[in-house]
């Protein structure tokens, strides 16, 4: 970015200082940014400083479409709903084929939502909750079926430590958190891979696996010859959920019809490699390409350019944190863009671009006018660091408290799993009916 050089006197060239020169110089990069499901880093400059993730680069390199005011206006026109704050404020940074889903919605043609989580720990943090919060809103806006996949098999394959039992337990625990995000229970199907891979779903997994070569997976995910083969195979599983034919119990058994029902996938940007693969071969397999909404990460307490980590307690606010824990973490660890002293703060103001409490408010505070007022007061030095932290704490506590309330009222894990069993039975019964139906048809012919 060009340095912001202002002439000292009108008509005179600006004075160059060390500072402006340094700002104007292109950054020398020592390590490039990496964003894939297994590694997320903005890269490192020559001085060893971690760089923020460049989301535009992802749009440039991988051909996603940046979100635009036009498509947000169209979303509002078509659904009659103000776009969610995560959409209004750029956290949904890009998309693939959202316009096509809006076309379908306008014409009353069906589609479904698909999202998921890799259950790698017992507890989820507020960063994990953001794509689910967006999905909840989209389900309300489109009033459509939603499928939520828990990839316990993926986490088992990718971790040295996680056992199958661990992964299944994480699935169960996480499913309770996810359900408490507030989806329409009548239109939501949540499953764990270890429990659900079978039947039509497994048939699709195999069909997709047959279309993918080792070379393609190596190129997309950076695996090599010493990577276990489970990792090579798993992308077929994640892709199969993007085909409606995997879920006859939801969409019916007629594959010729259901293969024309596409899905819209809200996900964190690091999941894009999976779905690029999927989109590349969907049409060859006579299915519709999935559409995507990409989200950026909620930064860790330590600052922009990072993401919350479930294994680093001080980096994240957990959905199970008590009000006091939230307060202490924000006060103690949240990276501040404020000045060192109150005097300097009044003179120079706070830097909202790097201030974590302000960044969090953009994710959690709904009221646009209130957010703008906070921004102006903080940047102008009217508001102190302690004050913006206190406001941030209030909204985080509110979000987490509402979540915990729903979680308390929600289903137990046993109920969730029983429901899954019921669904499996239903699917089997439907399949049986179909087979005997086919037989009758043959006999008639
Ligand atoms: N692989 C994802 C993870 O590790 C889980 C996942 C599966 C997912 N399907 C998805 C996430 C669809 C978003 C959308 O978290």
């Amino acid at each position: 970015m060009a340095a912001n050089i202002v002439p000292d006197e009108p008509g005179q060239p600006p004075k160059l200082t060390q500072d402006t020169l340094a700002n104007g110089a292109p950054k020398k990069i020592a390590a490039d940014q990496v964003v894939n499901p297994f590694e997320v880093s903005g890269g490192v400059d020559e001085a060893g400083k971690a760089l923020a993730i460049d989301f535009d680069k992802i749009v440039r390199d991988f051909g996603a479409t940046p979100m635009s005011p036009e498509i947000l206006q169209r979303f509002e026109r078509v659904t009659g709903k103000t776009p969610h704050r995560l959409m209004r404020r750029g956290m949904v940074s890009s998309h693939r084929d959202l316009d096509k889903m809006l076309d379908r919605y306008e014409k009353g043609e069906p589609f479904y939502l698909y999202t998921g989580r890799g259950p790698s720990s017992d507890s989820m943090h507020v960063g994990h909750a953001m794509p689910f919060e967006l999905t909840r809103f989209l389900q309300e806006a489109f009033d459509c079926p939603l499928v939520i996949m828990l990839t316990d098999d993926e986490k088992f394959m990718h971790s040295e430590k996680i056992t199958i039992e661990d992964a299944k337990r994480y699935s169960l625990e996480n499913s309770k958190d996810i359900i408490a995000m507030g989806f329409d229970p009548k239109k939501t199907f949540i499953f764990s891979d270890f429990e659900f891979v079978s039947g039509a779903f497994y048939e699709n997994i195999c069909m997709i696996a047959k279309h993918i070569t080792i070379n393609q997976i190596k190129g997309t995910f950076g695996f090599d010859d010493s990577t276990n083969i489970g990792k090579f195979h798993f992308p077929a599983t994640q892709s199969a959920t993007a085909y409606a034919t995997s879920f006859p119990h939801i969409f019916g058994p007629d594959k010729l019809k259901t293969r024309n029902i596409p899905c819209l996938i809200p996900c964190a940007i690091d999941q894009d490699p999976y779905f690029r693969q999927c989109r590349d071969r969907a049409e060859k397999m006579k299915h519709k390409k999935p559409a995507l909404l990409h989200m950026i990460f909620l930064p860790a307490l330590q600052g922009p350019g990072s993401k919350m980590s479930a294994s680093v307690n001080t980096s994240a606010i957990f959905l199970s944190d008590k009000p006091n824990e939230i307060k202490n973490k924000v006060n103690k660890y949240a990276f501040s863009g404020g000045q060192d002293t109150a005097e300097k703060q009044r003179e120079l103001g706070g830097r909202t671009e790097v201030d974590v409490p302000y960044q969090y408010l953009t994710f959690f505070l709904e009221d646009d006018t209130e957010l703008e007022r906070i921004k102006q007061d903080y940047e102008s030095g009217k508001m102190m660091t302690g004050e913006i932290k206190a406001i941030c704490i209030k909204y985080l506590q509110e979000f987490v408290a509402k979540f915990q309330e729903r979680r308390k009222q929600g289903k137990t894990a046993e109920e969730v799993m029983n429901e899954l069993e019921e669904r499996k039975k239903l699917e089997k019964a439907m399949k049986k009916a179909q087979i005997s139906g086919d037989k009758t048809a043959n006999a008639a012919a």
Side-chain angles (χ1 to χ4, degrees):
M1 202 191 282
N4 193 8
I5 303 173
V6 187
D8 294 339
E9 291 171 49
Q12 291 298 311
K15 241 193 268 165
L16 285 178
T17 64
Q18 284 288 344
D19 199 37
T20 48
L21 279 174
N23 285 339
K27 273 196 203 105
K28 287 238 169 96
I29 308 284
D32 271 337
Q33 103 171 352
V34 183
V35 178
N36 68 41
F38 320 109
E39 194 183 346
V40 176
S41 129
V44 178
D45 72 8
E46 279 207 331
K49 191 168 154 264
L51 300 169
I53 296 165
D54 178 355
F55 292 104
D56 294 341
K57 183 172 154 54
I58 295 174
V59 170
R60 276 194 317 273
D61 290 0
F62 298 122
T65 311
M67 286 299 276
S68 63
E70 290 72 31
I71 198 145
L72 288 180
Q73 281 159 14
R74 176 145 189 249
F75 176 93
E76 178 152 3
R77 253 200 331 276
V78 168
T79 65
K81 286 216 168 239
T82 310
H84 192 279
R85 59 181 184 276
L86 295 169
M87 300 164 83
R88 301 199 297 274
R89 298 185 190 146
M91 285 75 152
V92 179
S93 53
S94 49
H95 71 92
R96 296 182 190 276
D97 288 343
L98 173 62
D99 37 343
K100 287 195 182 152
M101 293 301 117
L102 294 176
D103 292 345
R104 291 186 74 93
Y105 184 79
E106 245 176 349
K107 289 189 234 151
E109 292 169 357
F111 62 94
Y112 66 105
L113 288 160
Y114 158 33
T115 194
R117 158 153 174 85
S120 51
S121 69
D122 273 316
S123 37
M124 286 175 60
H125 55 60
V126 289
H128 295 138
M130 292 300 99
F132 289 112
E133 165 63 17
L134 176 69
T135 307
R136 181 200 62 71
F137 166 81
L138 292 170
Q139 186 182 39
E140 194 181 288
F142 292 129
D143 187 27
C144 65
L146 161 64
V147 173
I148 304 172
M149 172 186 219
L150 293 161
T151 56
D152 35 19
D153 53 347
E154 176 190 24
K155 293 298 130 171
F156 170 66
M157 233 47 102
H158 276 272
S159 159
E160 293 299 318
K161 288 196 306 262
I162 298 177
T163 63
I164 290 185
E165 281 63 40
D166 289 336
K168 284 167 75 170
R169 196 183 66 247
Y170 297 155
S171 272
L172 208 60
E173 285 309 310
N174 290 181
S175 69
K176 292 188 259 177
D177 281 344
I178 292 168
I179 288 165
M181 294 301 303
F183 303 109
D184 178 348
K186 284 195 225 66
K187 294 194 171 164
T188 303
F189 175 53
I190 182 165
F191 67 91
S192 110
D193 286 348
F194 278 138
E195 294 289 330
F196 185 67
V197 170
S198 63
F201 184 36
Y202 187 57
E203 288 168 23
N204 277 342
I205 293 174
C206 290
M207 256 208 334
I208 294 169
K210 201 172 179 178
H211 278 80
I212 309 177
T213 66
I214 292 279
N215 262 336
Q216 289 162 338
I217 296 285
K218 277 189 185 169
T220 311
F221 297 98
F223 298 159
D224 60 32
D225 285 357
S226 57
T227 306
N228 74 52
I229 60 169
K231 292 188 193 178
F232 277 94
H233 181 259
F234 173 76
T237 308
Q238 179 146 335
S239 286
T241 309
Y243 289 174
T245 49
S246 295
F247 308 103
H249 72 280
I250 302 174
F251 302 105
D254 184 348
K255 287 192 185 179
L256 292 182
K257 277 193 194 139
T258 53
R259 69 183 190 197
N260 291 317
I261 304 177
C263 65
L264 169 62
I265 310 175
C267 62
I269 185 87
D270 65 329
Q271 297 298 308
D272 190 57
Y274 281 123
F275 300 119
R276 286 203 300 274
Q277 285 264 339
C278 180
R279 283 169 56 86
D280 282 349
R281 53 191 57 81
E283 280 171 350
K284 242 188 254 157
M285 299 176 62
K286 301 202 162 57
H287 279 70
K288 291 268 189 256
K289 283 184 187 183
L292 289 160
L293 287 177
H294 296 131
M295 274 189 77
I296 63 168
F297 302 105
L298 182 71
L301 283 158
Q302 283 68 23
S306 54
K307 67 171 193 156
M308 287 189 171
S309 161
S311 51
V312 185
N313 185 37
T314 56
S315 79
I317 305 292
F318 289 90
L319 291 169
S320 55
D321 278 351
K322 298 195 179 64
N324 239 348
E325 287 175 288
I326 297 176
K327 183 173 161 201
N328 292 340
K329 278 189 196 174
V330 171
N331 281 333
K332 204 157 157 197
Y333 301 111
F335 183 85
S336 174
Q339 308 296 335
D340 295 340
T341 63
E343 215 165 66
K344 265 178 135 184
Q345 174 74 10
R346 270 189 284 273
E347 187 193 331
L348 302 169
R351 289 163 301 151
T352 47
E353 338 75 77
V354 292
D355 191 84
V356 166
Y358 176 76
Q359 298 290 322
Y360 285 3
L361 284 171
T362 63
F363 282 79
F364 292 96
L365 169 57
E366 173 60 27
D367 186 334
D368 292 337
T369 328
E370 172 75 356
L371 183 69
E372 184 54 31
R373 186 192 63 81
I374 293 169
K375 183 170 192 274
Q376 281 180 10
D377 285 0
Y378 191 57
E379 285 180 345
S380 70
K382 210 163 127 192
M383 182 180 281
M384 297 290 121
T385 301
E387 291 172 72
I388 198 165
K389 281 196 168 181
I391 301 172
C392 169
I393 290 165
K394 182 180 126 195
Y395 285 105
L396 276 176
Q397 285 174 336
E398 192 181 291
F399 180 85
V400 171
K402 277 192 188 150
F403 166 82
Q404 291 177 356
E405 193 46 42
R406 285 192 305 266
R407 174 81 146 83
K408 245 198 313 204
Q409 294 164 353
K411 292 180 190 166
T412 62
E414 282 69 24
E415 284 171 317
V416 173
M417 284 304 146
N418 284 343
E419 208 166 279
L420 188 63
E421 281 307 310
E422 285 303 307
R423 285 216 163 95
K424 271 198 211 156
K425 271 186 220 153
L426 190 73
E427 195 185 330
K428 266 198 199 131
M430 277 171 49
K431 229 179 260 160
K432 253 195 206 147
Q434 196 195 345
I435 290 167
S436 54
D438 286 351
K439 273 195 196 132
T440 338
N442 284 342

